[in-house]
Amino acid sequence: QVQLVESGGGLVQAGGSLRLSCAASGRTFSSYAMAWIRQAPGQEREFVAAIRWRGTYYSDSVKGRFTIARDNAMDTVYLQMNSLKPEDTALYYCAAAPATTFDPNEYDYWGQGTQVTVSS
């Protein structure tokens, strides 16, 4: 059974930092693109960042503030979020796809999400 389990969300003040983790199990994801995708209330899912092989990709809204990394030996993906803003508040999902894509609809596997709330 394939599972992606996120952790690390919480409540933080604007300007603060959080580190999200995603533990994958049930299959080998080393060749997959692993991504973080977020969804704020009443809004569509939004691509945040992805990593595949040595390539990393970011949305313009988080570039320079967020860093994605992965540990293939541990089947874990991380998202270091710095300089957080209230507009970063959302449910953050870990997702996997066979190829790198900025389209959330093209991700095949999803976690249950972890809530990030940034207060002003």
Side-chain angles (χ1 to χ4, degrees):
Q1 182 182 359
V2 174
Q3 277 193 312
L4 299 177
V5 180
E6 303 96 335
S7 61
L11 173 63
V12 64
Q13 288 188 331
S17 299
L18 283 174
R19 187 194 195 205
L20 306 184
S21 298
C22 171
S25 62
R27 66 159 297 146
T28 300
F29 284 100
S30 58
S31 65
Y32 270 59
M34 301 297 295
W36 290 94
I37 293 165
R38 67 187 181 187
Q39 187 168 26
Q43 298 187 21
E44 295 190 355
R45 292 179 298 183
E46 175 192 13
F47 172 89
V48 174
I51 184 168
R52 186 168 186 253
W53 303 120
R54 296 179 182 269
T56 57
Y57 311 86
Y58 299 94
S59 68
D60 288 342
S61 62
V62 307
K63 197 173 296 183
R65 300 188 297 121
F66 291 10
T67 303
I68 190 170
R70 70 191 294 172
D71 181 342
N72 283 333
M74 299 295 293
D75 283 331
T76 304
V77 179
Y78 304 97
L79 185 69
Q80 177 67 43
M81 305 186 295
N82 298 328
S83 302
L84 282 161
K85 304 176 182 180
E87 51 263 43
D88 294 318
T89 295
L91 188 61
Y92 282 71
Y93 295 95
C94 176
T100 305
T101 174
F102 291 81
D103 184 351
N105 294 318
E106 295 184 4
Y107 283 84
D108 298 326
Y109 301 101
W110 292 79
Q112 82 288 349
T114 185
Q115 179 67 38
V116 172
T117 303
V118 184
S119 63
S120 56

